[in-house]
Amino acid sequence: MNARDRRKFFAGVAFTSPWIVGLAVFTLYPVLASLFYSFCDYSILKSPVWIGLENYQQLFRDELFWKSLRNTLFYAALSVPLGTVVALSLAFLLHRQVRARGVFRTIFYLPSIVPMVASAMLWLWIFNGQYGLLNAALRPLLAPFGVTPPAWLADPTWAKPALIIMSLWGTGNAMVIYLAGLQNVPRELYEAAEIDGATGWRRFWHITLPMISPVIYFNVIMGLISALQIFTQAFIMSEAANGNGGGSDGNPGRSTLFYSIYLFSTAFYDLRMGYASAMAYVLFVVIALLTWLASRLARDHVNYQS
Amino acid sequence: MRLRAATIRFLLLALLGGVALLFVTPFVWMVATSLKPLEQTMALPPTWLPRSYHAPVGNDRLEVTQDFQLRQAGTLCRYTAGEKAGQQVFIPDAAADDGAAGDRQALHRVAAGWWHVTERVAGAEPRRAPRWDIVPAEEISSRIHFHWSNYSEALELLGGGTSEAAVAGGRPRLGFWVFAGNSLVVCLLGVLGTVLSNAVVAYGFARLQWRGRDAFFAVTLATLMVPFPVLMVPLYGVFRQLDWIGTLLPLWVPCFFGSAFNIFLLKQFFQTVPEELSEAARIDGCSEWRIFWRIILPLSKPVLIAAGVFHFLFAWNDFMGPLLYLTRKETFTLALALQSYESQIGGVQWHYLMAASAVTILPVVILFFFAQKHFIQGIATTGSKN
């Protein structure tokens, strides 16, 4: 390096120095430390003791681990596609609707920025089996069939669907991204299609969808990653609807024992931090695998040409 | 053809309106509940408008709660002697001859189907026993009435438990404002740190040429993939070593050291500023710092505001961070205080819970309406730049 290059190098390092510290202390060290802990018996109160693969071996025999993984995958497998369909449909509707677009956009977007704690309280009340709004609406609808609505969060079968319904209320963020994507589709493409005589569905299928496929891909990946880490709403609502357990038991009947909740309680209630670190790394691998799978699928179906 | 287009437009509007109604209903339900007295939250079928009921109790006409309807006729009496002196009792006709009639003075007759009503006493913890009476339905009048006092009572209760406990402990009461203050400290310092640190770092990545830059940026982007649970345990250890557990520090200090996502966002924006501007300034002898401070920053206001607004939102809404690091009640943020209040009272006082939730949501809604443009643009760019 000559003097000029060296000066440039030091300027670059100086400007990025906060992040050099931040990356090292708050990301790189934790990533490596938890990899190390995942091979240790560690309780934070005493120094870690190396036990090799024992945590991982134990994990694969742990019924609660599999339960929490199944619960989480079930939640993600339903909430991500449903959320995508809802957000996309709303974006299409809004894209065609010119009048009062701003008002509608605000209405659909606001729920997605409400503090999760507050929306958990609100939905807890809506899902209340006895006095909740949802069952008040469902009761007369189901009565002719002799069916009574479920107790939602207090019913092992319906607790996860309740959380999925709640997640649909918060899809406004994705909708705004889709709307922006739709508005970026060049008008000339539609005009050309019109000249060629393509209308309606064919325009949608051959122009709109391919043109916004990168945006869909991005949203699905982000949605998947956050759905796999579902924590706050389940932590608060399962405890509140089923009595104490510190929110960590995943009641009723462990039906809302999600991966992050099991991990959190293993680490901070049972103080089995080594075991929890092994769980965290398994989650890391699951997320990486699913993202890789999605990118493989995307290669054939996502259009990056614009 | 024209008619068909109009029909389609109308159907679209109707569909949108219907879905919008579904999205708004939970908010309306929350506000409606927060303005009701407790017994009306549990009305079946549910009601939308909070009401107040007035009925004669003794000689006065008071605001009351309707408790239940009597099935049988009888007499309302007051004890005149004995340990129950002054108390009221309803004696059904079937049980009138129980031998204790001498101690009682009859107040008035009660017919079957009359309502038992109780005076509403102000405050979350009434200081005296409320009066009650039994009156015919037509004596009860009702009107729409918003119980705004729910809000002050809920905020008072948010501090935890009952006032007795606080008095017995002799400690000053923790109120809503303590929690709101904690939340504000975490949010504002976090926003300051986020905007400053990420702008400086992003400048280093976007506007300077230096060896190792691109590799470093690739590592930065790769860290976006790491899920938080992987970092959770060692991060807790770091903050424990620093003796920061139980303080607000872990929630805002890291913001001063940049974050991969914001670095990426700001870098994308800085790159759109024409390079000639920097070159001209360099020829004039400007230092890199001055170019950053005087040229790039003023031109980047929209994206800086977007990053700040999103951090405020994240910090205000964050639950897991406070749950991990805050151990003492006086350091709780509003989100954590709301959850802890809920788990104490255990989902009964829905009117207070909804009032407290509404207060927690309010700042976010206000922020949205002030910074609406930045919200929408910020989200749109994060989504389409990828």
Side-chain angles (χ1 to χ4, degrees):
Chain A
M1 269 200 276
N2 59 32
R4 195 159 160 266
D5 281 351
R6 203 173 301 144
R7 216 174 47 238
K8 279 182 162 182
F9 179 76
F10 283 123
V13 169
F15 269 95
T16 52
S17 58
W19 175 235
I20 294 174
V21 177
L23 180 69
V25 178
F26 301 122
T27 307
L28 288 186
Y29 163 74
V31 164
L32 297 175
S34 71
L35 182 61
F36 171 67
Y37 293 154
S38 77
F39 297 106
C40 294
D41 186 8
Y42 179 50
S43 70
I44 210 165
L45 305 172
K46 284 178 282 183
S47 29
V49 179
W50 182 268
I51 53 169
L53 284 172
E54 209 171 293
N55 282 330
Y56 290 95
Q57 285 163 348
Q58 206 184 332
L59 204 54
F60 292 116
R61 290 193 305 266
D62 181 350
E63 254 174 64
L64 286 182
F65 161 80
W66 291 110
K67 180 92 191 162
S68 67
L69 190 61
R70 274 199 306 273
N71 282 338
T72 309
L73 290 176
F74 177 88
Y75 173 80
L78 283 175
S79 75
V80 175
L82 285 176
T84 306
V85 169
V86 169
L88 258 179
S89 317
L90 289 178
F92 281 129
L93 282 176
L94 269 193
H95 186 56
R96 300 209 45 184
Q97 173 70 31
V98 185
R99 224 183 312 160
R101 184 187 285 165
V103 177
F104 282 119
R105 194 177 54 189
T106 303
I107 289 174
F108 296 140
Y109 177 67
L110 265 185
S112 73
I113 57 169
V114 165
M116 192 51 96
V117 180
S119 54
M121 300 301 161
L122 172 54
W123 283 91
L124 204 51
W125 177 217
I126 290 176
F127 284 126
N128 187 295
Q130 222 176 338
Y131 306 112
L133 184 63
L134 184 62
N135 279 0
L138 287 179
R139 229 171 263 131
L141 292 179
L142 296 178
F145 307 100
V147 182
T148 48
W152 297 106
L153 294 161
D155 182 330
T157 319
W158 290 100
K160 278 193 292 287
L163 291 172
I164 293 166
I165 293 173
M166 177 187 165
S167 78
L168 296 182
W169 191 58
T171 49
N173 195 61
M175 184 213 68
V176 172
I177 299 180
Y178 287 134
L179 190 57
L182 286 173
Q183 279 160 352
N184 284 340
V185 178
R187 204 157 268 281
E188 303 89 74
L189 286 179
Y190 290 117
E191 282 159 10
E194 204 155 334
I195 291 167
D196 291 348
T199 48
W201 268 108
R202 297 196 41 185
R203 268 198 337 195
F204 169 77
W205 202 248
H206 294 288
I207 299 175
T208 314
L209 217 49
M211 286 307 286
I212 62 164
S213 53
V215 185
I216 298 177
Y217 172 66
F218 168 76
N219 266 340
V220 168
I221 297 281
M222 296 317 259
L224 192 63
I225 290 176
S226 76
L228 291 174
Q229 296 180 57
I230 174 180
F231 178 81
T232 302
Q233 60 271 55
F235 182 87
I236 293 172
M237 291 165 85
S238 72
E239 182 207 347
N242 300 284
N244 51 25
S248 56
D249 287 352
N251 286 326
R254 303 226 183 259
S255 63
T256 59
L257 183 74
F258 291 108
Y259 202 89
S260 291
I261 289 180
Y262 186 42
L263 199 162
F264 179 87
S265 67
T266 305
F268 294 100
Y269 294 147
D270 307 344
L271 293 184
R272 296 165 68 202
M273 301 224 172
Y275 196 63
S277 297
M279 280 189 75
Y281 261 86
V282 171
L283 178 69
F284 198 173
V285 170
V286 169
I287 287 180
L289 267 179
L290 287 176
T291 314
W292 175 78
L293 207 68
S295 72
R296 281 297 298 269
L297 281 173
R299 198 180 300 164
D300 303 331
H301 299 289
V302 173
N303 175 349
Y304 282 110
Q305 260 146 26
S306 61
Chain B
M1 194 61 204
R2 174 160 292 207
L3 186 74
R4 213 181 128 234
T7 317
I8 289 179
R9 211 174 305 141
F10 175 77
L11 285 177
L12 271 179
L13 192 64
L15 187 58
L16 264 178
V19 182
L21 198 65
L22 281 180
F23 270 70
V24 168
T25 305
F27 285 123
V28 178
W29 178 242
M30 172 170 66
V31 175
T33 305
S34 75
L35 292 169
K36 288 174 184 175
L38 179 62
E39 75 280 357
Q40 283 174 41
T41 63
M42 291 184 265
L44 284 175
T47 56
W48 286 98
L49 286 170
R51 308 191 77 91
S52 68
Y53 294 88
H54 287 80
V57 177
N59 297 322
D60 308 307
R61 201 170 169 79
L62 301 171
E63 192 189 342
V64 295
T65 58
Q66 285 177 287
D67 308 315
F68 53 87
Q69 242 176 327
L70 290 242
R71 291 219 188 84
Q72 36 187 331
T75 312
L76 183 67
C77 300
R78 179 186 289 134
Y79 288 103
T80 51
E83 56 192 32
K84 291 188 191 164
Q87 289 183 21
Q88 292 179 165
V89 62
F90 170 70
I91 311 289
D93 286 343
D97 283 322
D98 59 358
D103 298 344
R104 308 190 288 252
Q105 164 205 357
L107 291 174
H108 61 74
R109 288 286 302 160
V110 172
W114 283 23
W115 280 88
H116 184 286
V117 295
T118 309
E119 172 194 11
R120 256 180 71 80
V121 182
E125 296 125 18
R127 312 244 180 281
R128 62 181 175 82
R131 291 183 284 165
W132 59 272
D133 207 332
I134 301 172
V135 297
E138 57 271 20
E139 289 279 340
I140 304 172
S141 64
S142 91
R143 60 187 163 84
I144 294 165
H145 177 75
F146 299 136
H147 295 258
W148 291 106
S149 59
N150 282 351
Y151 279 80
S152 57
E153 287 158 26
L155 295 190
E156 206 180 314
L157 285 173
L158 203 55
T162 61
S163 56
E164 278 89 38
V167 170
R171 281 188 313 161
R173 254 185 103 162
L174 290 169
F176 161 77
W177 294 108
V178 175
F179 305 131
N182 290 335
S183 276
L184 269 184
V185 166
V186 169
C187 287
L188 294 179
L189 290 175
V191 167
L192 185 72
T194 299
V195 171
L196 284 180
S197 67
N198 289 306
V200 175
V201 174
Y203 184 87
F205 280 122
R207 311 289 296 188
L208 299 176
Q209 300 283 339
W210 46 285
R211 259 179 83 172
R213 181 191 72 171
D214 295 339
F216 187 17
F217 189 67
V219 172
T220 302
L221 281 189
T223 63
L224 277 173
M225 288 273 299
V226 182
F228 182 69
V230 171
L231 312 176
M232 201 163 66
V233 166
L235 266 185
Y236 188 87
V238 169
F239 295 132
R240 213 174 99 95
Q241 283 296 314
L242 293 166
D243 214 8
W244 286 1
I245 301 298
T247 72
L248 296 175
L249 294 170
L251 298 174
W252 64 266
V253 173
C255 298
F256 281 83
F257 295 93
S259 77
F261 180 74
N262 283 313
I263 291 170
F264 169 73
L265 184 71
L266 297 189
K267 174 181 178 275
Q268 296 290 99
F269 191 91
F270 288 174
Q271 280 170 339
T272 63
V273 178
E275 190 59 38
E276 293 81 38
L277 281 178
S278 300
E279 284 307 322
R282 278 187 199 115
I283 290 166
D284 288 348
C286 267
S287 68
E288 284 301 329
W289 180 259
R290 273 181 68 89
I291 297 173
F292 163 70
W293 196 253
R294 285 296 169 83
I295 298 175
I296 303 293
L297 271 197
L299 285 173
S300 311
K301 258 188 209 140
V303 75
L304 294 176
I305 293 175
V309 163
F310 282 121
H311 182 78
F312 188 97
L313 200 63
F314 164 79
W316 185 269
N317 294 355
D318 188 20
F319 175 71
M320 203 182 198
L323 180 69
L324 274 172
Y325 306 127
L326 302 182
T327 47
R328 294 168 303 138
K329 198 141 198 186
E330 54 266 39
T331 59
F332 278 14
T333 59
L334 201 51
L336 189 58
L338 180 59
Q339 189 267 340
S340 123
Y341 167 62
E342 190 279 334
S343 72
Q344 261 179 24
I345 62 165
V348 180
Q349 298 179 321
W350 291 106
H351 55 329
Y352 290 152
L353 203 54
M354 288 302 109
S357 302
V359 170
T360 311
I361 294 176
L362 193 64
V364 168
V365 175
I366 293 173
L367 181 71
F368 173 77
F369 281 107
F370 272 100
Q372 189 167 7
K373 208 180 71 195
H374 300 286
F375 266 98
I376 301 297
Q377 278 175 359
I379 303 165
T381 43
T382 51
S384 49
K385 283 275 163 55
N386 279 269

